[in-house]
Amino acid sequence: MSVPPAVSTSASAAAASVPSAVSGAPRTPTQADLLAFVRRTAADAELIASLPLDPEGRTWVRLEGPGGSEAWLIGWPPGTGTGWHDHAESVGAFLTARGELKENSLAARLPADGWKTLELTEDIDRQRKLPAGTGRGFGRHHVHEVLNESAEEHAISVHAYYPPLPQIRRYSRTGPILRLEHVERPEDWQ
């Protein structure tokens, strides 16, 4: 997949900070804060409509997330997906703004480091459909893949991560076997 250049965007919904209850200073955003942010941002029809869509590859624009988080607006052509991956030490949230996405995930926390191949147990797989307006938060080391299974419609989603992504680990999967294939760093996608 070729990586288009990232474009910084400041939408009114995207510029929100997460104030501290005590001092008024920004605090570390929680999964709930990130989910609230992606919900507000996905409701910005002008921002969603501004994302350039490519008929073959995913497109994205970087946004200002709350409390120093990293956020992205992502366009998904029909039949595209991420492949299996995690977001390392970051917690996150994402929400479908248009169309429908499917998330396949693992219902177990995997070891962070020190392995190349794992055999997964039965009943570890989870699937969820995420139509427009539906999203979810997730914790550290959440392993998943996100897909636009539509044969005709683009999907658009909003994602936020804190701390900003230190790396993304990419996996291949054959049946119950999960293999770590490579590790991407921010310079690989920004």
Side-chain angles (χ1 to χ4, degrees), residues 3 29 39 47 59 69 81 94 97 101 107 114 117-118 132 137 141 161-162 178:
V3 178
R39 215 173 248 122
L47 176 65
T59 54
S69 65
F94 71 101
L101 294 172
T117 303
L118 290 176
H141 307 289
Y161 310 98
Y162 189 86
L178 188 71

Side-chain angles (χ1 to χ4, degrees), residues 4-190:
V7 177
S8 291
T9 300
S10 290
S12 58
S17 65
V18 181
S20 168
V22 176
S23 68
R27 65 172 169 80
T28 300
T30 64
Q31 286 180 42
D33 295 329
L34 296 174
L35 190 56
F37 166 80
V38 297
R39 215 173 248 122
R40 285 191 310 273
T41 304
D44 184 337
E46 185 177 334
L47 176 65
I48 300 307
S50 74
L51 180 66
L53 299 176
D54 183 298
E56 296 179 20
R58 287 187 301 144
T59 54
W60 52 86
V61 173
R62 188 170 182 156
L63 306 172
E64 298 281 329
S69 65
E70 178 174 347
W72 298 89
L73 180 62
I74 301 176
W76 306 77
T80 59
T82 59
W84 287 94
H85 67 283
D86 71 17
H87 305 99
E89 295 293 325
S90 297
V91 298
F94 71 101
L95 186 130
T96 305
R98 187 168 89 191
E100 180 175 274
L101 294 172
K102 176 184 177 185
E103 180 193 36
N104 295 319
S105 63
L106 301 179
R109 184 175 171 154
L110 301 182
D113 293 307
W115 65 276
K116 291 289 277 179
T117 303
L118 290 176
E119 184 170 353
L120 303 173
T121 61
E122 290 185 33
D123 299 326
I124 195 169
D125 290 297
R126 299 294 180 264
Q127 293 182 353
R128 67 174 43 91
K129 297 278 188 177
L130 299 162
T134 307
R136 68 173 312 241
F138 54 85
R140 291 169 168 73
H141 307 289
H142 176 69
V143 177
H144 69 165
E145 67 175 347
V146 180
L147 310 160
N148 177 4
E149 294 186 317
S150 172
E152 299 173 4
E153 289 187 52
H154 267 79
I156 298 176
S157 57
V158 181
H159 302 246
Y161 310 98
Y162 189 86
L165 296 172
Q167 64 185 13
I168 294 176
R169 288 180 286 247
R170 299 268 176 200
Y171 305 98
S172 64
R173 178 149 183 211
T174 306
I177 305 301
L178 188 71
R179 286 185 178 84
L180 175 63
E181 295 294 340
H182 68 277
V183 177
E184 295 176 5
R185 307 237 179 258
E187 56 271 15
D188 297 326
W189 65 81
Q190 294 182 1

